[in-house]
Amino acid sequence: NAGVTQTPKFQVLKTGQSMTLQCAQDMNHNSMYWYRQDPGMGLRLIYYSASEGTTDKGEVPNGYNVSRLNKREFSLRLESAAPSQTSVYFCATQKEPYEQYFGPGTRLTVT
Amino acid sequence: GENVEQHPSTLSVQEGDSAVIKCTYSDSASNYFPWYKQELGKRPQLIIDIRSNVGEKKDQRIAVTLNKTAKHFSLHITETQPEDSAVYFCAASIEAAGNKLTFGGGTRVLVKP
């Protein structure tokens, strides 16, 4: 029972490159979320998915796309990375009705 | 949208003393208020939460209070220990609106032995 897993753990990109961050959960939760955490700051919601096949924007969606492939997996894609997207990215799932549990994070640097 | 402010940004306490962190929120429709603890380089971990139909909740040395009228809630840690040193985040959400959490800016707590 791995809970919430994220890959990769670390990534360095050059400006303009693209990549996909992967998140998977084995807790059979319906809702999944993507947050970013900048140094010394709280987390900000990028996108969320209330159920398989549905996604919606959060507070800071610009520059990102998401895909809820199935109930287990929720991916975040950066089409053309920018230095402003340097951050730690956390995926989370929600145990109904309220509690959110976070994955270990992906540390992304864009040069 | 919702705005959550958290104070203080840093807090240094002597081991055994109490620590109090305060948060205010702007949207009166918010009805769920979790607190997360984040150790350096680790994921945020839920330590306690409160819903708007409750004024106070305790779990061993940790307690949270909620004042809906004033739109603020607080985390209280009693008998602090060195392992309580971490960054603590408050958050607020409206369960009916997809439970999208809005986080405060965090409080770095240092417990001095």
Side-chain angles (χ1 to χ4, degrees):
Chain A
N1 189 346
V4 183
T5 58
Q6 292 183 236
T7 55
K9 287 186 169 56
F10 302 93
Q11 184 71 49
V12 179
L13 292 177
K14 293 188 186 322
T15 297
Q17 289 184 318
S18 62
M19 78 162 295
T20 299
L21 283 65
Q22 306 286 355
C23 175
Q25 54 107 355
D26 62 2
M27 295 184 285
N28 202 35
H29 292 167
N30 288 316
S31 300
M32 298 184 72
Y33 304 79
W34 275 105
Y35 293 89
R36 61 177 287 175
Q37 184 176 33
D38 299 316
M41 295 181 65
L43 292 90
R44 291 182 292 169
L45 182 65
I46 305 171
Y47 270 93
Y48 73 102
S49 170
S51 62
E52 180 181 350
T54 68
T55 61
D56 208 346
K57 296 178 180 178
E59 182 185 352
V60 288
N62 291 344
Y64 306 95
N65 286 302
V66 290
S67 180
R68 183 74 183 270
L69 304 170
N70 47 54
K71 190 171 187 178
R72 289 188 63 249
E73 298 170 293
F74 188 36
S75 61
L76 178 72
R77 183 161 178 82
L78 287 70
E79 290 291 350
S80 179
S84 61
Q85 294 179 304
T86 293
S87 190
V88 180
Y89 291 85
F90 288 100
C91 174
T93 69
Q94 180 172 302
K95 176 184 175 184
E96 298 298 334
Y98 291 105
E99 300 166 15
Q100 290 190 22
Y101 296 93
F102 287 81
T106 294
R107 190 174 297 273
L108 175 67
T109 302
V110 183
T111 61
Chain B
E2 174 70 282
N3 182 49
V4 177
E5 295 193 355
Q6 183 172 346
H7 299 281
S9 57
T10 60
L11 180 59
S12 181
V13 298
Q14 208 65 38
E15 182 178 357
D17 288 349
S18 295
V20 180
I21 304 169
K22 298 181 179 180
C23 289
T24 60
Y25 61 99
S26 61
D27 193 335
S28 57
S30 289
N31 57 4
Y32 176 63
F33 307 93
W35 285 88
Y36 286 84
K37 175 183 180 182
Q38 187 177 31
E39 296 175 350
L40 189 63
K42 300 292 180 69
R43 74 189 79 187
Q45 293 197 301
L46 179 67
I47 57 172
I48 195 167
D49 57 10
I50 191 167
R51 290 153 64 176
S52 60
N53 59 346
V54 174
E56 182 176 1
K57 184 177 179 180
K58 289 184 180 180
D59 183 2
Q60 299 182 346
R61 296 187 295 108
I62 292 173
V64 57
T65 58
L66 171 65
N67 184 327
K68 285 182 60 181
T69 303
K71 291 190 284 188
H72 67 71
F73 55 111
S74 300
L75 178 71
H76 304 253
I77 307 173
T78 59
E79 300 174 18
T80 53
Q81 300 169 4
E83 53 264 38
D84 294 328
S85 295
V87 179
Y88 292 81
F89 292 97
C90 64
S93 72
I94 305 170
E95 189 273 333
N99 205 30
K100 295 177 286 184
L101 292 175
T102 300
F103 283 82
T107 297
R108 184 174 300 277
V109 174
L110 175 63
V111 180
K112 295 180 289 184

